[in-house]
Amino acid sequence: MTSVDELMDYAEVIERFDPVLGLEVHVELHTNTKMFCGCANVFGGEPNTQVCPTCLGLPGALPVVNGKAVESAIRIGLALNCEIAEWCRFARKNYFYPDMPKNFQTSQYDEPIAFNGFLDVTLDDGSLFRVEIERAHMEEDTGKSLHVGGSDGRIHGAEHSLLDYNRAGVPLIEIVTKPITGTGERAPEVARAYVTALRDLLKALDVSDVRMDQGSLRCDANVSLMAKDAAEFGTRTETKNVNSLRSVERAVRFEMTRQAAVLAAGGTITQETRHFDESTGGTSSGRTKETAEDYRYFPEPDLVPIAPSREWVEELRGTLPELPWERRKRVQQEWSLTDAELRDLVNAGAVDLVAATVEAGATPAEARSWWVAYLTKEANSRGVELAELGITPVQIARVIALVNAGELTNKLAREVVTGVLDGEGEPEAVVEARGLKVVSDDSALEKAVDEALAAQPDVAAKIRDGKVAAAGAIVGAVMKATKGQADAKRVRELIIARCS
């Protein structure tokens, strides 16, 4: 691992070098079956239970293309403003690795199904940056290796390795950008924003669950540096399989500072793959990076070419949903949001959650307050994504309805939400089990008010003298006595009546 002492200050990096990025994003499609066989495409099965002769690469087994995967590839290409090939074919990418049962990967090389597109991404300040897409091509995923006995889960130092071929043959789309230049100091931010926008787009297309924590969306980040007066790109490194949005940003930033330190010291950058360490935010050397020639690509002899008709392509274009940025523009107008409020929603990953809460009966302001304020803090404290919290938009809408009906105060509502998050059941069940319903019975409230007035005679006298603002102290005492379950508005009315 590169030490902190070998890194250049980021401001100096930007002063001396221009970064060049290239992002390769692998997307696992959530088709029912694998890319070239009928095995189930399901995450998390027992090791080596979702396999057959085809995805294990056994002699005599022949592949058959998954039509749904081709359809998804075309829809992704269209959403990325790509041209769709009228004719393309698969190729064999030859290399050996234990989790590659055939010793080659069925992929696409010089004839991808989609090419020459772009994606406009929104940066943190609301400005747009266009990322040009080189290609989006179809391929199959590899199996998984589990290295046991080492300190970091990698093969070096491991005592033995276990292989699970369930993932072998799962449909993949690899989306490759053209070189991304002109980012300057915002290069790490651009990388994160691009992967974020791509994830949102793929989710809207409903072609993948885009779970980075489960590997269904993975980013390989290529980084190189050019001296300010250079005419050619520098040597790049490729940080493999970065699996969170924050990590994409951190990996790019780290590589920029590491490479700059090497170059400033008179060294050279090795073209290699690197591994990102989530715990340190640094990268470590993997293996020397192969070139296309090393893979010995040749056309796949067991699969016929893919030739989507123009009619089918246009039919698929008609199935594209409202794209995430179009939807955001629409909800911003419908909900009367400022640009800053919309950015807060987007950055919190809350647009869809707020929209679903509104559809369930809440107002946009109420829904936004819950998801962006309280629930975002809960997600952060529990170490999960907002959408992975154990509460649904419908449940939040029901909590809001209970508040509006006067059955819960805002404080009690938060307790109800906490109960739902802790697995105590539906909101109404939590209210019942915890005894959280607002006390609105006048006889119970009158007793609490009388006790509070008796305990603070000086305050009571001020209220009787017309200083009604002093009633706040009595309201607070009653709320404390009733553990926050009193109807504060009714309490205040009773206090004024008692002192008049």
Side-chain angles (χ1 to χ4, degrees):
M1 178 65 66
T2 301
S3 70
V4 174
D5 293 338
E6 296 169 326
L7 304 180
M8 181 181 287
D9 180 75
Y10 191 73
E12 185 179 355
V13 176
I14 299 306
E15 184 179 337
R16 298 179 60 173
F17 299 97
D18 289 322
V20 179
L21 306 181
L23 301 171
E24 303 170 14
V25 175
H26 296 79
V27 186
E28 285 186 350
L29 303 178
H30 58 30
T31 52
N32 292 329
T33 56
K34 293 185 180 181
M35 188 71 199
F36 302 114
C37 68
C39 290
N41 177 17
V42 180
F43 178 83
E46 288 296 315
N48 298 308
T49 58
Q50 295 157 203
V51 294
C52 72
T54 298
C55 57
L56 288 176
L58 299 183
L62 294 175
V64 177
V65 175
N66 185 322
K68 185 66 175 180
V70 175
E71 176 184 304
S72 295
I74 294 173
R75 294 178 72 240
I76 290 171
L78 291 171
L80 290 172
N81 305 290
C82 288
E83 299 177 49
I84 305 301
E86 296 188 11
W87 188 95
C88 64
R89 57 184 171 178
F90 288 96
R92 291 189 179 184
K93 181 180 181 181
N94 296 273
Y95 65 95
F96 170 77
Y97 203 72
D99 60 15
M100 197 67 188
K102 299 182 295 190
N103 288 343
F104 66 84
Q105 180 186 31
T106 305
S107 181
Q108 291 188 300
Y109 174 43
D110 55 346
E111 299 165 309
I113 193 165
F115 56 93
N116 195 29
F118 65 88
L119 181 61
D120 289 329
V121 302
T122 304
L123 303 184
D124 292 344
D125 63 358
S127 62
L128 291 179
F129 189 95
R130 174 162 293 188
V131 176
E132 295 188 332
I133 306 297
E134 176 72 34
R135 56 194 278 144
H137 66 258
M138 299 178 287
E139 60 186 21
E140 60 181 337
D141 213 341
T142 62
K144 293 178 68 175
S145 299
L146 176 65
H147 305 298
V148 182
S151 60
D152 59 0
R154 305 201 182 280
I155 193 169
H156 299 293
E159 296 175 357
H160 63 276
S161 297
L162 302 174
L163 296 172
D164 178 8
Y165 289 118
N166 281 351
R167 197 177 69 180
V170 166
L172 273 184
I173 304 298
E174 181 175 355
I175 302 166
V176 182
T177 69
K178 295 180 180 180
I180 303 171
T181 60
T183 59
E185 65 179 352
R186 305 185 76 172
E189 179 192 348
V190 168
R192 169 178 52 79
Y194 167 73
V195 179
T196 301
L198 192 55
R199 182 194 63 171
D200 293 346
L201 173 62
L202 295 166
K203 186 175 181 181
L205 292 171
D206 193 26
V207 294
S208 172
D209 61 16
V210 293
R211 290 284 299 272
M212 297 189 79
D213 59 316
Q214 294 182 358
S216 55
L217 182 70
R218 312 189 292 272
C219 178
D220 296 343
N222 293 269
V223 179
S224 67
L225 296 178
M226 299 172 60
K228 289 291 185 178
D229 57 352
E232 297 181 357
F233 294 161
T235 302
R236 64 185 172 90
T237 62
E238 180 181 8
T239 303
K240 300 288 287 184
N241 296 330
V242 186
N243 62 2
S244 78
L245 299 174
R246 178 171 177 262
S247 294
V248 169
E249 184 171 16
R250 294 172 72 201
V252 169
R253 187 183 184 96
F254 181 89
E255 268 303 285
M256 289 172 62
T257 56
R258 184 193 70 83
Q259 291 185 24
V262 172
L263 294 171
T268 58
I269 303 300
T270 301
Q271 183 168 318
E272 62 181 353
T273 63
R274 297 184 68 84
H275 301 293
F276 181 73
D277 188 324
E278 293 277 354
S279 62
T280 66
T283 67
S284 59
S285 180
R287 56 180 169 80
T288 302
K289 179 62 178 173
E290 296 92 344
T291 63
E293 289 75 16
D294 295 321
Y295 290 124
R296 295 176 290 113
Y297 283 101
F298 64 86
E300 169 57 67
D302 292 332
L303 290 170
V304 299
I306 305 295
S309 69
R310 296 302 91 183
E311 292 77 15
W312 186 37
V313 170
E314 290 309 309
E315 181 182 329
L316 292 177
R317 192 188 301 276
T319 69
L320 297 182
E322 181 181 34
L323 299 180
W325 36 93
E326 295 170 349
R327 186 185 192 196
R328 289 166 192 160
K329 185 180 297 185
R330 175 176 59 80
V331 300
Q332 181 177 16
Q333 294 175 342
E334 291 179 355
W335 300 347
S336 301
L337 301 178
T338 66
D339 290 343
E341 289 170 337
L342 179 63
R343 281 200 300 274
D344 287 343
L345 270 182
V346 172
N347 292 338
V351 175
D352 290 342
L353 295 167
V354 170
T357 307
V358 171
E359 289 172 5
T363 68
E366 292 168 337
R368 189 162 52 85
S369 175
W370 272 100
W371 286 106
V372 176
Y374 184 72
L375 289 169
T376 295
K377 292 178 182 176
E378 282 292 309
N380 291 336
S381 67
R382 293 168 187 253
V384 298
E385 294 289 333
L386 188 62
E388 295 170 12
L389 275 175
I391 195 164
T392 67
V394 170
Q395 289 171 324
I396 288 296
R398 279 155 55 187
V399 171
I400 292 171
L402 290 172
V403 173
N404 291 338
E407 296 182 31
L408 291 176
T409 63
N410 286 328
K411 180 180 178 181
L412 293 177
R414 286 193 288 272
E415 288 191 49
V416 173
V417 168
T418 298
V420 176
L421 292 174
D422 290 341
E424 297 175 19
E426 295 295 323
E428 294 81 1
V430 175
V431 170
E432 188 67 28
R434 293 195 178 195
L436 297 177
K437 199 168 185 178
V438 165
V439 176
S440 55
D441 176 59
D442 273 4
S443 60
L445 293 179
E446 286 169 354
K447 180 181 178 183
V449 167
D450 289 342
E451 291 175 352
L453 289 170
Q456 301 185 65
D458 293 345
V459 176
K462 290 179 181 179
I463 299 171
R464 293 189 183 98
D465 289 340
K467 298 176 181 179
V468 293
I474 304 300
V475 172
V478 173
M479 296 303 291
K480 183 177 180 180
T482 59
K483 298 181 179 179
Q485 291 178 240
D487 181 339
K489 181 180 178 181
R490 183 55 182 156
V491 168
R492 184 177 182 84
E493 291 172 352
L494 290 172
I495 291 169
I496 301 302
R498 278 287 196 269
C499 295
S500 60

